[in-house]
Structure formats: structure tokens, C-alpha cells
Amino acid sequence: MAKVSSVMLRRRLLWCMLILLILFTALVVRLAYVQFVKGPALSEEAENLWRREIPYTAKRGQILDRNGVSLAYNITTPSVMAIPVQIKDKEQTATALAPLLGMTKEKVLGIISKKERIVQIKPGGRKITMEKAQQIRDLELPGIVVAEDNKRYYPFGDLAGHILGFTGIDNQGLTGVEKTYDDNLNGIGGGIAYLSDAAGRLMPGSSETYQAPQDGLNLKLTIDQPIQSIIERELDQAMVKFQANSALAIAMNPKTGEILGMASRPGYEPGHYQEYDADVYNRNLPVWMTYEPGSTFKIITLAAALEEKKVDLKNDRFFDKGFVEVGGARLRCWKKGGHGSQTFLQVVENSCNPGFVALGQKLGKESLFKYIKNFGFGSKTGIDLSGEASGILFKLSQVGPVELATTAFGQGVSVTPIQQITAVSAAINGGKLYKPFVAKSWVDPVTGKIVEETKPEVVRQVISEETSKQVREALESVVAKGTGRPAFIDGYRVGGKTGTAQKVINGRYSSTEHIVSFIGFAPADDPQIVVYTAVDNPKGIQFGGVVAAPIVQNILEDSLHYLQVPPRSDQIAKEYKYGETPIVTVPDLTGATVQDLYEDLNMNFMLSKSGSGKTVVSQAPKPGARVERGSTIRIYMGSEPEDAHQSEEKKKADNEKEEP
């Protein structure tokens, strides 16, 4: 019995040893698998559990005007973040933070209690002031970190608000070029990374690593900040003066399609967009608004008729009796009783509807609508701003005699302001239709070098250079002699066209509400700038020549001075109407006696004398200045210095000696 037990014991020991050997081998294999096969992945997973990251937001690229003036840039604004595992007393932490962040204790407590590695305490902890950030640092709360963040800043307030747009809380573009070019403006974020244990202590042997954020590219616009300011000043004044529903204006370089300025009213401040109605900041009227253009559209009919050689402006005549009957409809001229017999150049000057009906009939619907579409109407221009509308045209199959007639003078079609200015630019620049744009180039924020540049894009040639020249001359005559005279600028050749269109309300034309407009350009023989403005339902007299033309005149005049376009004398003389004061040239009065002055001025000017003496030694305004007839000239009297008199005598003697 003892012998059997000994054998069984040895056998059992052998099996145990075998099992232990198998288990040990399996353990070795498992350890080797974990160490060599799964090791890297497990190490990475463990490191991820230990890793803590404090993000540093990249600076969004600046938005600059064409001359490098910053219109939007980022400023440092700290944000508060929490590492929940490091917060020992969450109740006390929430109690301390809540009043500083303008949040409830319960809200803060809920955020810092999340089972996450790092959380943002928002909204109160996002983009706070430097002073508040220092107050939070002074509390020395475990697990609470003040990280670097930034927010968008618009130094000119509401200037170019609809073009620039604005960004959200996370610096994402929401409207305007901020949205259109969000990807390029956004940079790549960075931050500080480190390893810590469950208690938030730095892991032994580890160190912090800093990944610098990569800033976004700077965007240089075609916008010229001084011209933009001029436009917005005039729109603000117009809104006050006329109490209009809205007003808009666009300035463009007609030779490239570059937008030099664009604005609408009501406006808004991008930095405080939350304080405005969404309809104000979401609707960029120059690209979004559609309406019947009125007489500014006649430029297209004129260009088409000239290109097709359907009219000779100076020799062909038209008799306007005040209306024309087409297809049973009576279409009236704005002047009761009509303009009588006139050349077609006078038809353009007088903006005579029946005369343009005749031009439309000469062209025919196929030809007229071909040119309308070639000038870009009925389709989007492709400008790099969101929200652009395409307008509405009659389908050719629906165009009868009445539709053809009304389209010829700008009624029955729907257009956008950006279509209007782009088409007119083509009519005056030699016939080239350009694609309008606002993004001029992308600039590296570190090197300052241009990364990418937008080149002017010709969509198509619409009319010939010769036709374009005739259009320019006709429109210059409109400003000098016709309905556009309020846009006349002494010393500058200006061309333009008025527009007054009835608004369509509830499917019917209103007799009391109009959209009045004017488009002008200068110099007329070599356009450098074209400006379009429209005012919706101004109070009082509702005519484009009375309301809109003076706005364009002011924008053009100040812009031409800013662009350093020199004044000239070879302009068509303005035709003055009763009650208007002519512009005259100030003569050189220096050296004259008082008696000479009163005999020679012929009551063109008033005189204001200062000083004692018999001779004029200085004057203001200076000789050659252009002022209204009847203006006051201040003259300064004195005696010419003896040496100056002797010098003049010497010059006279020298001249006599040189004579043969």
C-alpha cells in the first residue's frame, strides 16, 4: 500500500511539474507577445492616458486693404480651461470661478466634473480680458489653466462690414470673406503637451513639449480703405437726409473688375454682430438685392443698338409726343407732353422712354436679349462673396411687343447692383466684361511675400472698342447737358446715367415708392473708376438725378482727388438751367489797383479787402481756381517792395536789350 502511494505521488508530481512548465511557457510567450508585439501600441495607449494638452489657438490671418491697411486682425484674449482630474475640491473651485466668469456655480461645477482630460469653461471663460485672466491666475486653483486664445478685432468699426463678415466664438468665418476664405485664413493650432499621473503630477522623467501654432495667411483685398470711407460717409448722409429704406453703393475699377469699395445701409459692426438683426448682416445688398433697374439699363440698349449699327446718334432723329402705344399699352415718357423732335443723342441725354422703345424695336427681341445676356444679366457674376442673386429676365418665348418695349428702357427685368456696375463697366472700358472680385492676393504673415494673386478675368468681349467709345461720349453728354447734370464735376470729364424705377409691391407697380439710382464714371475718355448707387424709397422727390446723382458726384470727386487723377479743361461745357450758378475761373489780381479791380471784374465776384496800400499783393482763392460765380475773393493790399520794383525794371531793361 505504501509502495503504490509512492508511485502515485511521483506521477502526480510529474504532472504538476508538466502543468507548471506549460503555464510558465505560456506566460513567457504572453509576455513576449505583449512586450514585442503589443508593446508599442500599449505604450502609446498608456501615454495617451497620461498625456495632458493645453491648446494654443493659431492666429487667424489678417484682412488688409489693397495698400496693406489692416481691416481685421486678431488680438490675444485668454480662455479658461480645466483639467478635472487635478481639481481636488470641485465645489470650492466652482464657487470661486462662477462670479468671475459671469456663470452660475452649478454650470461651472457641471463642466469641471466631466470625465474628460481637459475642458473649456464656456461661455464665460472664453476670450476673457487680461485683467480677469490675472484675477483667475491669482486664485491659484489646482486644475484651472488660463490658456492663450485670440479673437477677431475690426479697428474701423462698421467699415466694410458686409464685405469682411465676421467670425464665431471658435474663430470660424460665418459671413463675408471671413466665410468665403475661411480655410486660408485659419491657421493650424498648437499647444503645450506633458505627461501626468492620475493626480495630475508631472510624470518622472518626462518633460513638456511646445508645438507653436501656425498662423493663417493674410488676405489682401481689392478694397481701398479711403474710397470705402468716402462711400460709407455719403451713404450715411443720404440715409439721414432722405430717410430711405436702404441705400447701397459700389465703386469698381472698370478695367480689371476690382471692387474698390462696396457698402450698404443699414450697416453693422462685425465685432458686435450679435446686437443686430440677422437680416442686416446676412444680406449684402450690392450682391443680394434684386429690382427693376430703370433707366440705368438703357446703357445696354444703347450699346446694343450702336454695335448693331441701328442708329446714328447725331444724325438720326426721333419725335417724342410724350408716349408711345405698343401692343395696346401706352408707355409714357417721364416728361409730360414729351420732348418733341430730338436727335438720338438727345434721346439719351433726356432719358426718353419712347426713344428707347424705338431702339428696342430696331434691334428686335432676339438681338436685344442676346446682348442683355452677354452683358451678364440673368446669371451670377461669380464675385467671391456669398449670397449673390442672379436676377430675372423674360424667357424669349414670352417676349412680345410690350415686353420688348419695356425691357428696352429697364422695366420688367430684375437685376442686381453688382450686375449693373459690371455690365456698364464693359460698356465703357472697350467692351470687355470682367468678373468682379474682392480678394486681391494672399500674403505669408512671416515673410510678407505674396503666395497667390488673383488676376483680372475677362469673361467675354461684348461690344467693340469703337462702340464703347460712342457709349462713353453719349454718357458724358448726359452729365453735361441731360438728366445727369447733378453729377457734373468741374475739371473732370464725367459720364453717367440716371435711373428711377417703380417698386413692385404685392405684384403691382407702386406710384409712390421708387428705387432711384445713378451710375457714373471718370474720366469719361479713359475711365479709372465707376460708381453705382441706389436709394430705396427716399422721402420727398424720387428721381435718380436729384437723389442719387449728387451722391455719386461726391464719391467720384473725392475719389479722383485721392487717386491723384489730374483735372482737365477739355470737358464738355455744362449746360446750366435757370437758377443754377455757373462755375468760373478766378483771375490773377496781384499787382492790380482797387480801381482796376472794380472795372475789370464785371460783377462776377465779390471782393473783401484787407490791409492798407494801393496794390494787391496776395489773394484767396489763388488765380486759376474754379468757383461759383458771385463768390467772394479776399484781396490783401500793400505796397510792392522797392527791390522787387527795381528787379522788375531791370528785367524790362534786359528784355529791351535782347530785342533785335
Side-chain angles (χ1 to χ4, degrees), residues 46 49-52 83-88 90 116-117 194-204:
L49 291 173
W50 301 329
R51 182 179 292 112
R52 302 290 184 265
I83 304 172
V85 71
Q86 296 181 1
I87 302 175
K88 298 175 181 178
K90 292 181 170 54
E116 298 179 22
R117 287 185 295 177
Y194 63 96
L195 303 181
S196 72
D197 60 16
R201 296 183 294 267
L202 189 68
M203 294 285 284

Side-chain angles (χ1 to χ4, degrees), residues 2 15 49 60 100 136 204 219 244-245 284 323 365 400 415 501 512:
W15 278 107
L49 291 173
R60 191 174 177 85
L100 289 175
I136 293 172
L219 171 59
N245 294 348
N284 185 7
F323 65 90
K365 69 176 185 179
V415 306
T512 59

Side-chain angles (χ1 to χ4, degrees), residues 130-141:
M130 290 292 189
E131 292 77 12
K132 189 169 289 186
Q134 190 57 49
Q135 288 178 332
I136 293 172
R137 289 192 186 99
D138 292 342
L139 293 175
E140 297 183 351
L141 297 171

Side-chain angles (χ1 to χ4, degrees), residues 161-237:
H162 284 99
I163 297 174
L164 298 175
F166 54 83
T167 60
I169 189 69
D170 294 313
N171 281 338
Q172 75 279 24
L174 298 178
T175 63
V177 294
E178 295 275 26
K179 177 181 179 181
T180 304
Y181 296 109
D182 188 51
D183 290 342
N184 286 356
L185 289 167
N186 256 331
I188 300 173
I192 294 177
Y194 63 96
L195 303 181
S196 72
D197 60 16
R201 296 183 294 267
L202 189 68
M203 294 285 284
S206 67
S207 61
E208 297 177 343
T209 59
Y210 173 67
Q211 178 66 44
Q214 183 177 328
D215 295 343
L217 293 174
N218 292 339
L219 171 59
K220 183 173 282 191
L221 300 177
T222 61
I223 301 301
D224 201 316
Q225 184 263 324
I227 294 178
Q228 182 73 27
S229 297
I230 293 167
I231 288 174
E232 300 204 19
R233 177 200 70 200
E234 292 301 319
L235 291 182
D236 286 337
Q237 292 177 359

